[in-house]
Structures are given as structure tokens and as C-alpha cells.
Amino acid sequence: MGDSIRSIPILEGGSDSFFDKLEAAAIGRKYGKGKLVFVHEDQAENFYILTSGWVKLFRETLDGTQSIIDILPAGHTFGETPIFEGGLYPYSAEVVEAADIYIAPLSILKEELETNTKLSMNMLSHLIRYKRQQDRELEHMTVQNAPQRIGCFLLRLVNQSEQGSVVIHLPYDKTLLAARLGMQPETFSRALAKLKEQTGIRVNGATVEMDSLDQLVSYSCAACSSEFPCNDLTDCK
Amino acid sequence: MGDSIRSIPILEGGSDSFFDKLEAAAIGRKYGKGKLVFVHEDQAENFYILTSGWVKLFRETLDGTQSIIDILPAGHTFGETPIFEGGLYPYSAEVVEAADIYIAPLSILKEELETNTKLSMNMLSHLIRYKRQQDRELEHMTVQNAPQRIGCFLLRLVNQSEQGSVVIHLPYDKTLLAARLGMQPETFSRALAKLKEQTGIRVNGATVEMDSLDQLVSYSCAACSSEFPCNDLTDCK
């Protein structure tokens, strides 16, 4: 367990004694698909370290629509911000692919942040990269059409320096992917059909293939303020 | 000058010696409307403290569309994140209403962040509130229609506990407001007309009047995951 917690990027800069305390206090648990980890506005005692699987962070509007804030892969933490937000979780968290999660007291993280500027600087750095990613998502909502936004999502899944033909495996199912991109399933289907037509990509179940990235880049990246390759944005999805 | 810098919310927690150094090094300058303060990807030596006026932060897409990241009122800083972003400004900054700005070396801020966890904790707290605001903006792009988004923008300008009739002064012109909301000017005009029709608000130049907030709240806030009043989001625009 020690290794997997010590290698979480957002905790980089933590002291040895911080990791020792975390390891002594954290509880590892397996969660099945569909399991709620916590609910928006629950009182927060713990934060969560995801070491395998996928977790969806979401909120619900008053009229019942679900809004997805993020879908996290392994290597991310969640539920840590109540330290700064009055002790309540600002979103709900649900496991979307069977997950291994360490549950650890927020008090240990808070104490370390209050005494170790290496950790707080590292966390600031992560948040700012995350903010850039959100800036770009907001920009794309305005300047890109739906097929371009799907193209952009695909480009952020690949090694962007790849030459020649490329195979991408979609990380989760298309309904969830549509929701992550803020699209209705039928809008997503139409947009994906248009993207195939415009760029020649081939989609087979969860696999997407193309002869090179060039078509996708020229189709999506003209309507973006970041230049391709935009690897700086890819790890903050 | 000392007072105005010491009262900037994001610098709260800075030590006396930090503020002394800032005051000794900072240069105050007046900027006219339309003046560019810096350009995206300029090498960053300084950050900027806005004590009056308005500043627009923006990027441009490869095909020439301008995307507004933020429009800042007095009391905000900008250009501070290159500390964490490889030393380059991640956006351009332009004065949109005549502004007083202090220009101060990033090195002083960086040194203080590396040694004073009070300041870094305060900055983390601000960034996380800002992130919540962006979460909500992304949500609204999906779940709210254009008139609801204008209604939401207006509600975040008022004292939300206000009873009875309300007068709102738009902080900047409608073209800029449309761009801030990611709308074309003609979409904005149509949406504002629809909002007036649905909620009975009266718009006269830069002044918006209504008999109470109720109509606006029931029209816009049903399609939002925050409950009204949402004052927690208002200061991070």
C-alpha cells in the first residue's frame, strides 16, 4: 500500500512522517460499480485515494438533471477540498468501474498542508493545471461544435507525438462519455457519426482507429486556444 | 498604497515582511481602456494587483476567435500563476475600464509561498472556490438555456438576501457581457428579450430593475445544482 499512496501525484512533496501517518490510518476498501462513496453535503471526515477503477464526481440540479464534474482514473484523490470548504463534500462520488480506494482522515492532510509548503505548493500547482483544463473546456463549449469536442476528447487520450496509425480504447462507456462532455446520448451519436464522416476515424465498440492523428488535429484543434500537442492538459482530466 | 495591497483577499495571510517587500518593489501605473497589460506566452517577471477598473483575461483560438477566461474587478490579482506554469503567462490581459494596477515581482510572491503556509493555504482556498464557480459555469453551459444563464449572472451581482424591488447596474457593456457568457451578441439580445418576457425584469441601458428577485430565482435556479442564495459563488467571478 505504501508505494501506491506515496506515488500519487497530488501528494508529492509530503514528508515521510505524513506518509507514515497516512499508512497507519488509511483503510483500503473495494467498491463495486454503482456504489456511492459519499453524497454532496455529507459531513467530511475523510478523503479518498483511488488506486484502481474509475470514480464519477457529480451534482444534481434542483430539477433533477445530473451534472458530471469529473470522471477520475486511478492515481487521483477526491473529497480533499472540504478542508477549504466548510467541512462538507461539494459533490457526490460514485464508482463507475470497480475500484480500490484508500480512505484516510482529512485531519492528517490538513495538518501536513499547514506545516509543509512543499506539499501546499505542489497542490497549488495541480489546481492551477486543473483550472487551465477547465478554462479550455469552457472555451470549447462556446467555440467548438459537438463533433470537434469529441475529437478533442480522443486526442487527449493518446500519446500526442505518435506517428502513423493509432488505436484508442475508450476509457468508459459511451453514455457516460456523452454525459462527461455535457451531451445528450442522441446528440453524442449524431456528433460521433459526423466526426467519422469528416475525419475518417473508425469506431468499433470501445475501440477507435485512425490512419494518423492529422485529420483529427486539423478538424478539432483549429477551434482551440492551445496548440497541438497539448500534453500539458492531458493529465488533469 | 500599503493598505490597498494588504487588503487584497488572495494575499491574506502574507507576513509583514512580505508586504514590506512588495510595497518597496511594486510600481503603481494607470492604464487606459483598451491597453494590453501582457500577452499570452510572454515571459512572466511580474504579477499584477488591480486596485480600480476592470481587466479582461482572454485567449485566442487558432482560427481567431477570442475566448474570455475572466473579467476581473478591483481587489483581484492576475498573472500570478506562471510561478506554477513554467514562467509564461497562460492568457493575455487587457484593460476594459480605466485601471490602477500595481506591478510587483513574482519572485517576492514565490518566496513567500515557499515559506509561509498561511499564504499558501489561503491561496488554495481561493483557487478551490474559483474551481467551484467554474464547475457551475460548465454545468450551466449544459443544463441552462441562454436566458437562464443571463438571469444567473444578474443574480450573482446582487445582495441575494434583498427583499422587495431591486436595481442592478451592469458592470460592463453588453457586448462584453455577451462574450463573458460565451454568447454571440445577437444570441444575447434574443435571450435578454426572452428573459424580460418570462420574468418581467425591466432593462434600461445599463440598469436592470425588478419588483423582487423571486421571478428570476424561480426561472434560473431550478436548472442549477446550487441552492439560492448562492453567495458562496459570487465573489469568485
Side-chain angles (χ1 to χ4, degrees):
Chain A
M1 147 175 161
D3 264 9
S4 56
I5 289 189
R6 280 169 204 255
S7 63
I8 298 288
I10 204 172
L11 301 180
E12 206 177 288
S15 64
D16 281 341
S17 74
F18 164 66
F19 285 115
D20 291 345
K21 278 186 227 162
L22 265 193
E23 283 166 22
I27 296 165
R29 201 173 279 176
K30 286 186 181 299
Y31 286 81
K33 182 171 176 167
K35 175 83 184 156
L36 271 173
V37 184
F38 55 75
V39 173
H40 176 207
E41 296 197 339
D42 275 0
Q43 194 73 40
E45 303 293 338
N46 296 302
F47 73 108
Y48 297 81
I49 303 164
L50 181 63
T51 56
S52 80
W54 289 83
V55 167
K56 171 176 79 172
L57 311 181
F58 68 100
R59 293 172 57 106
E60 274 165 1
T61 65
L62 292 183
D63 59 13
T65 310
Q66 191 176 97
S67 166
I68 296 185
I69 292 177
D70 216 334
I71 299 178
L72 301 177
H76 285 250
T77 60
F78 57 100
E80 69 280 46
T81 59
I83 290 177
F84 305 96
E85 299 188 281
L88 303 179
Y89 292 116
Y91 44 67
S92 304
E94 181 189 324
V95 172
V96 289
E97 293 297 340
D100 290 299
I101 297 175
Y102 287 109
I103 308 171
L106 272 172
S107 56
I108 296 176
L109 179 60
K110 182 165 188 274
E111 192 192 331
E112 179 75 359
L113 281 169
E114 283 169 348
T115 51
N116 176 357
T117 58
K118 267 194 195 157
L119 181 62
S120 56
M121 289 292 277
N122 178 54
M123 201 171 269
L124 275 167
S125 172
H126 273 268
L127 268 169
I128 286 164
R129 290 182 66 152
Y130 198 103
K131 169 157 170 37
R132 281 312 144 236
Q133 175 68 22
Q134 281 197 311
D135 288 347
R136 214 66 70 251
E137 287 190 26
L138 275 163
E139 170 189 305
H140 291 177
M141 289 293 225
T142 305
V143 303
Q144 292 190 338
N145 59 31
Q148 284 174 322
R149 281 168 52 219
I150 299 175
C152 174
F153 181 86
L154 293 175
L155 285 169
R156 284 183 285 121
L157 292 174
V158 301
N159 171 357
Q160 296 190 341
S161 56
E162 198 124 9
Q163 301 292 326
S165 68
V166 174
V167 179
I168 301 171
H169 298 284
L170 297 179
Y172 31 80
D173 72 46
K174 286 181 194 155
T175 316
L176 196 56
L177 208 160
R180 173 69 186 85
L181 294 173
M183 297 179 198
Q184 296 299 320
E186 52 277 24
T187 310
F188 180 83
S189 296
R190 278 198 306 274
L192 187 60
K194 175 97 189 280
L195 183 68
K196 288 195 276 189
E197 186 192 303
Q198 295 284 319
T199 64
I201 64 168
R202 299 174 295 278
V203 183
N204 192 352
T207 304
V208 181
E209 293 182 82
M210 61 203 78
D211 297 331
S212 85
L213 293 177
D214 300 350
Q215 284 282 82
L216 218 48
V217 170
S218 70
Y219 185 71
S220 287
C221 303
C224 178
S225 71
S226 288
E227 261 178 81
F228 186 86
C230 57
N231 287 316
D232 55 323
L233 297 175
T234 51
D235 70 349
C236 344
K237 273 191 297 293
Chain B
M1 149 176 157
D3 265 10
S4 56
I5 289 189
R6 281 169 204 255
S7 63
I8 298 289
I10 204 170
L11 301 180
E12 208 177 285
S15 65
D16 281 340
S17 74
F18 164 66
F19 284 114
D20 291 345
K21 277 185 229 161
L22 266 192
E23 283 165 23
I27 295 165
R29 201 171 281 176
K30 287 187 181 299
Y31 286 81
K33 182 169 175 168
K35 175 84 184 155
L36 271 174
V37 184
F38 55 75
V39 172
H40 176 209
E41 296 198 337
D42 275 1
Q43 194 73 39
E45 303 293 338
N46 297 301
F47 73 109
Y48 297 81
I49 304 166
L50 181 63
T51 57
S52 80
W54 289 83
V55 167
K56 172 176 79 172
L57 310 182
F58 67 99
R59 292 171 59 105
E60 273 165 2
T61 66
L62 292 183
D63 57 14
T65 310
Q66 191 176 98
S67 166
I68 296 185
I69 291 177
D70 216 334
I71 298 177
L72 300 177
H76 285 250
T77 60
F78 57 99
E80 69 280 47
T81 59
I83 291 178
F84 305 97
E85 299 187 280
L88 302 179
Y89 293 116
Y91 43 68
S92 304
E94 181 190 324
V95 172
V96 289
E97 293 296 340
D100 290 299
I101 298 176
Y102 287 110
I103 308 171
L106 272 172
S107 55
I108 297 177
L109 179 60
K110 182 166 187 272
E111 191 192 334
E112 180 75 359
L113 281 169
E114 282 170 348
T115 51
N116 176 357
T117 57
K118 268 194 193 157
L119 181 63
S120 56
M121 289 292 276
N122 178 54
M123 201 170 267
L124 276 167
S125 173
H126 273 268
L127 268 171
I128 285 164
R129 290 184 67 153
Y130 199 103
K131 168 154 170 43
R132 282 310 144 239
Q133 175 68 22
Q134 282 196 311
D135 288 348
R136 214 68 69 253
E137 286 189 26
L138 275 163
E139 171 190 303
H140 290 178
M141 289 293 226
T142 305
V143 303
Q144 291 190 339
N145 59 32
Q148 285 173 323
R149 282 168 51 218
I150 298 176
C152 174
F153 181 86
L154 294 175
L155 285 169
R156 285 183 285 120
L157 292 175
V158 301
N159 170 357
Q160 296 189 341
S161 57
E162 198 124 8
Q163 301 292 326
S165 67
V166 174
V167 179
I168 301 171
H169 298 284
L170 297 179
Y172 32 81
D173 71 48
K174 285 181 193 155
T175 315
L176 197 55
L177 208 161
R180 174 68 185 87
L181 294 173
M183 297 179 198
Q184 296 300 320
E186 52 276 23
T187 310
F188 180 82
S189 296
R190 278 199 305 274
L192 186 60
K194 175 98 188 280
L195 183 68
K196 288 196 276 189
E197 185 191 304
Q198 295 284 318
T199 64
I201 65 168
R202 299 174 294 280
V203 182
N204 192 351
T207 305
V208 182
E209 294 183 80
M210 61 202 79
D211 297 332
S212 85
L213 293 176
D214 299 350
Q215 285 281 82
L216 218 48
V217 170
S218 69
Y219 183 72
S220 286
C221 303
C224 178
S225 72
S226 288
E227 263 178 80
F228 186 86
C230 56
N231 287 316
D232 55 322
L233 298 176
T234 51
D235 70 349
C236 344
K237 271 191 297 297

